Amino acid sequence: GNSVTQMEGPVTLSEEAFLTINCTYTATGYPSLFWYVQYPGEGLQLLLKATKADDKGSNKGFEATYRKETTSFHLEKGSVQVSDSAVYFCALRSGGSYIPTFGRGTSLIVHP
Amino acid sequence: GAGVSQSPSNKVTEKGKDVELRCDPISGHTALYWYRQSLGQGLEFLIYFQGNSAPDKSGLPSDRFSAERTGGSVSTLTIQRTQQEDSAVYLCASSLEASKGEQFFGPGTRLTVL
């Protein structure tokens, strides 16, 4: 079956630090990959996505590259802000299923 | 335009009581999902509706849980004889088409069973 593994949090950084949140997956076929972000008290919202190998999704300074050879989709940002403090979820949807598989989420805390 | 809305935002109930949680998806979205998010856990899939097709109920944890979607729009998740382990945030999401993958989430309903 499909699964998504994320690094455990919380990840605590100072403002302007470099961010990496690791995500690896197992899936049948060729999945689409997603990062969602959940700000405190809100629902999840799509941050970025990639639908095929070597695609790079990007949004709001965040990037992630679909690496088929390592089955990874790590989230990166060059300089985090306090407002980036949230929980980040990696997810996949494989072609044969309409039900996405989510990771457990990684909490990011950014200090001024 | 309006996003996905859910009501109530918070619900406190006593063990053994029934609860109903409501989800209003984005207009025109044919796919609707319910998830449960427990403290420190990821999203647990519960049920999925696509248009007028029979729902995929494979994620419902017990027969105390049920959901319906009327007219292809509003959905209600019902939990009968609530238990303390049902305490969680219940999230609803919709998507234009299930095959597109991108989901739009509501803010959730926080359920507390005393």
Side-chain angles (χ1 to χ4, degrees):
Chain A
N2 298 335
S3 68
V4 175
T5 303
Q6 293 182 233
M7 59 189 296
E8 290 196 18
V11 173
T12 305
L13 296 172
S14 297
E15 205 165 24
E16 300 184 2
F18 184 86
L19 167 72
T20 299
I21 300 179
N22 290 339
C23 171
T24 57
Y25 67 89
T26 58
T28 55
Y30 298 95
S32 295
L33 303 174
F34 306 85
W35 276 101
Y36 284 84
V37 58
Q38 185 178 30
Y39 297 104
E42 300 183 10
L44 281 71
Q45 53 187 276
L46 181 67
L47 181 60
L48 53 84
K49 67 179 181 181
T51 57
K52 62 182 186 297
D54 299 325
D55 269 2
K56 177 185 285 188
S58 61
N59 185 25
K60 300 181 181 179
F62 291 89
E63 294 183 339
T65 301
Y66 189 144
R67 300 289 189 197
K68 189 171 185 297
E69 64 277 12
T70 55
T71 60
S72 65
F73 193 54
H74 304 323
L75 182 68
E76 297 181 336
K77 187 174 185 181
S79 175
V80 293
Q81 305 300 310
V82 172
S83 57
D84 293 327
S85 298
V87 180
Y88 293 81
F89 292 88
C90 185
L92 69 83
R93 190 188 67 79
S94 62
S97 172
Y98 295 142
I99 301 168
T101 300
F102 286 84
R104 288 194 165 206
T106 302
S107 175
L108 171 65
I109 301 169
V110 181
H111 294 294
Chain B
V4 178
S5 61
Q6 293 186 245
S7 61
S9 54
N10 280 284
K11 176 71 176 178
V12 179
T13 190
E14 294 180 346
K15 178 181 172 182
K17 296 286 180 67
D18 297 351
V19 296
E20 284 190 352
L21 312 179
R22 177 187 169 106
C23 171
D24 282 90
I26 293 173
S27 178
H29 280 195
T30 62
L32 186 148
Y33 303 76
W34 282 98
Y35 296 91
R36 179 167 68 178
Q37 185 178 26
S38 302
L39 189 63
Q41 302 296 312
L43 272 67
E44 176 187 6
F45 164 74
L46 297 177
I47 188 169
Y48 154 66
F49 296 88
Q50 172 62 55
N52 296 317
S53 302
D56 182 331
K57 305 179 183 180
S58 59
L60 295 178
S62 77
D63 58 7
R64 297 187 295 107
F65 288 71
S66 63
E68 61 178 22
R69 188 179 185 192
T70 54
S73 181
V74 171
S75 177
T76 302
L77 176 69
T78 301
I79 308 173
Q80 296 178 308
R81 305 181 302 281
T82 52
Q83 304 295 313
Q84 288 183 333
E85 61 263 28
D86 299 334
S87 296
V89 176
Y90 289 83
L91 292 169
C92 174
S94 69
S95 62
L96 187 60
E97 298 173 25
S99 61
K100 298 296 186 185
E102 177 180 353
Q103 298 185 329
F104 296 81
F105 282 80
T109 294
R110 181 174 296 280
L111 174 66
T112 303
V113 182
L114 302 176

